Amino acid sequence: MTLWPRTPQFNDDDYPYVNPSKDRKVALITGGNSGIGFFTVLHLYLHGYVVYIAGRSKSRVLKSIKELKEQADRIRSKYSGSLINERFLGELYFLEIDLLNLNSVLVGAENFANLEKRLDILINNAGVMALPFSMTQDGFEIQLQTNYIAPFVLTTKLLPILERTAELSTNKVPPRILYLSSIGHKFAFRYFNMNSTFNYKPNIIFTWFRYGLAKTAGIHFMKMLALRNPKILSMAVHPGFVMNTNLFSYWTSLPIIGIMFWCLFQIFGFFFGVSNEIGSYASVKCCLDQNLSIEKSNGKYFATNGVEAEPSSVAKNMDYAARTWIWTIHQLSERNINIPN
Ligand SMILES: NC(=O)c1ccc[n+]([C@@H]2O[C@H](COP(=O)([O-])OP(=O)(O)OC[C@H]3O[C@@H](n4cnc5c(N)ncnc54)[C@H](OP(=O)(O)O)[C@@H]3O)[C@@H](O)[C@H]2O)c1
């Protein structure tokens, strides 16, 4: 519930429905088993997309697939007239990927490429927020790897199949890459430096700088892809303040003070938040809106409900974006992951 009704400019009927047996459209989303990702998958599924939900827990993803199917059936049971015979459900599959393990990302990308000949939409949705400082087995800070490094590896490994899909596209609709950034990217201030780990105390402050750094790097990534891969439409998204997802679970499950954080987040959500489903609208619009084009929208940033917005001056600085790209390529090559330059 929120203080005033948010009336999003969103109508599923504005976006095309496809019949997967005649026109197979394939999407891959990370973290589609909860929160914003769940509703993003629901809309794509209702529009006839074949959706691969990449996650680290098979049981959690399979449970969400069951719920998605039930929810889609409930929605379709309310269709009027002949709509039920004109609109087709897509397909839902689990793909194993743990973003905290880059080898799992590489294997997941390879498995996907062996399963499908095309990829119309890649949604880098999975993320974590405001965790205490820790390093992954790959030697990156945990928020940086989950929110930026692993999506970078996954996306660059899937670029060949996205490029191939662009060649196959007969109706000039380009394949799309989305990156779920956040308004929190604005915590990355001037003198942006990818080597900063912000491993300082108190965590409650410096953790936001680490989140901001990762989410800014993600916007840089979309801007660089827009330059380097102009046949693919790459966009960054801020979904809104969506306070009832699992993103806040580290803070709300802290002993004793967790309840205080929960209340704080609920009050904030009451005044400024949107529901999990409305939180998915920016992603759904960027996935399906046929008015978004390479010419108008490549490398752009979209906020709540898919309204085009300006990211921070650091995020839109192309010198920083190029430096972030080069830094990432070097870091990965030191770990024997080579990205064609
Ligand atoms: N909620 C907001 O207010 C808000 C605001 C701005 C931006 N965002 C961004 O929106 C995106 C979705 O967030 P949400 O609010 O929907 O949060 P959520 O409910 O916590 O969903 C996050 C998803 O990411 C997955 N994930 C996390 N770590 C992973 C890993 N190592 N490997 C594979 N999957 C992993 C989670 O899977 P598990 O279930 O296995 O943990 C979950 O499915 C995030 O990128 C977030 O930063 C959210």
Side-chain angles (χ1 to χ4, degrees):
M1 196 185 118
T2 51
L3 183 61
W4 64 87
R6 274 58 165 183
T7 45
Q9 304 294 308
F10 183 90
N11 182 354
D12 259 312
D13 295 348
D14 292 343
Y15 307 130
Y17 287 82
V18 291
N19 177 349
S21 61
K22 291 198 179 127
D23 183 15
R24 189 177 172 86
K25 299 271 187 206
V26 182
L28 193 169
I29 181 169
T30 58
N33 61 294
S34 83
I36 296 159
F38 179 93
F39 284 98
T40 309
V41 177
L42 179 64
H43 285 275
L44 292 177
Y45 180 52
L46 284 166
H47 277 264
Y49 277 71
V50 175
V51 187
Y52 285 78
I53 304 177
R56 56 182 158 178
S57 156
K58 185 173 183 178
S59 61
R60 280 201 290 272
V61 173
L62 293 184
K63 183 167 173 273
S64 76
I65 288 181
K66 187 170 170 283
E67 286 166 13
L68 283 157
K69 289 184 172 170
E70 288 165 3
Q71 204 143 326
D73 286 343
R74 274 199 296 279
I75 292 170
R76 283 167 62 81
S77 69
K78 293 185 190 127
Y79 280 176
S80 55
S82 58
L83 276 188
I84 194 86
N85 300 319
E86 290 165 11
R87 291 180 181 172
F88 302 88
L89 280 174
E91 297 163 24
L92 298 174
Y93 298 107
F94 164 65
L95 183 74
E96 184 170 354
I97 291 184
D98 181 355
L99 300 173
L100 286 177
N101 174 348
L102 292 181
N103 191 48
S104 157
V105 177
L106 294 170
V107 172
E110 204 177 305
N111 287 343
F112 177 81
N114 288 332
L115 288 165
E116 291 289 341
K117 291 191 180 59
R118 63 183 300 138
L119 177 57
D120 296 275
I121 308 172
L122 169 62
I123 310 160
N124 289 297
N125 164 81
V128 290
M129 187 186 75
L131 300 183
F133 182 88
S134 74
M135 297 296 281
T136 67
Q137 58 184 319
D138 296 299
F140 291 105
E141 188 274 324
I142 187 169
Q143 293 194 71
L144 187 70
Q145 175 154 338
T146 314
N147 291 329
Y148 169 62
I149 299 284
F152 185 101
V153 172
L154 179 65
T155 305
T156 47
K157 291 296 170 190
L158 291 172
L159 277 176
I161 189 166
L162 285 153
E163 294 278 5
R164 209 161 56 234
T165 309
E167 300 297 330
L168 293 173
S169 167
T170 45
N171 54 2
K172 303 240 182 320
V173 176
R176 300 175 184 209
I177 301 172
L178 264 61
Y179 173 76
L180 271 277
S181 182
S182 165
I183 198 165
H185 81 269
K186 296 192 177 179
F187 286 109
F189 295 109
R190 285 175 68 191
Y191 314 117
F192 180 83
N193 180 355
M194 287 300 289
N195 286 314
S196 325
T197 54
F198 296 111
N199 182 13
Y200 309 118
K201 297 233 170 331
N203 173 56
I204 197 164
I205 294 186
F206 288 100
T207 190
W208 292 105
F209 292 180
R210 298 192 291 271
Y211 184 68
L213 187 88
K215 292 295 188 184
T216 296
I219 298 175
H220 287 161
F221 182 34
M222 292 302 106
K223 291 196 171 292
M224 289 302 291
L225 283 178
L227 273 184
R228 297 169 56 95
N229 299 80
K231 289 186 185 150
I232 301 169
L233 181 49
S234 301
M235 294 164 285
V237 164
H238 163 64
F241 295 115
V242 193
M243 309 308 284
N244 284 311
T245 70
N246 293 337
L247 201 65
F248 305 85
S249 56
Y250 168 75
W251 292 95
T252 53
S253 57
L254 286 173
I256 305 168
I257 53 170
I259 184 77
M260 196 185 79
F261 279 112
W262 184 84
C263 293
L264 207 68
F265 295 147
Q266 291 306 312
I267 293 167
F268 185 84
F270 181 74
F271 286 104
F272 305 108
V274 294
S275 68
N276 292 5
E277 182 162 17
I278 296 181
S280 76
Y281 288 171
S283 296
V284 177
K285 182 183 157 104
C286 288
C287 287
L288 298 179
D289 189 343
Q290 306 296 292
N291 295 318
L292 298 177
S293 65
I294 301 260
E295 295 70 31
K296 280 193 302 192
S297 315
N298 220 358
K300 295 275 170 73
Y301 172 77
F302 295 85
T304 320
N305 290 316
V307 177
E308 194 181 319
E310 282 288 300
S312 70
S313 56
V314 172
K316 65 185 177 197
N317 182 316
M318 288 310 290
D319 285 340
Y320 281 140
R323 274 193 249 164
T324 301
W325 179 280
I326 292 164
W327 180 90
T328 313
I329 300 284
H330 281 151
Q331 290 293 322
L332 291 172
S333 83
E334 280 174 13
R335 289 155 178 87
N336 295 321
I337 299 175
N338 293 310
I339 311 292
N341 217 339

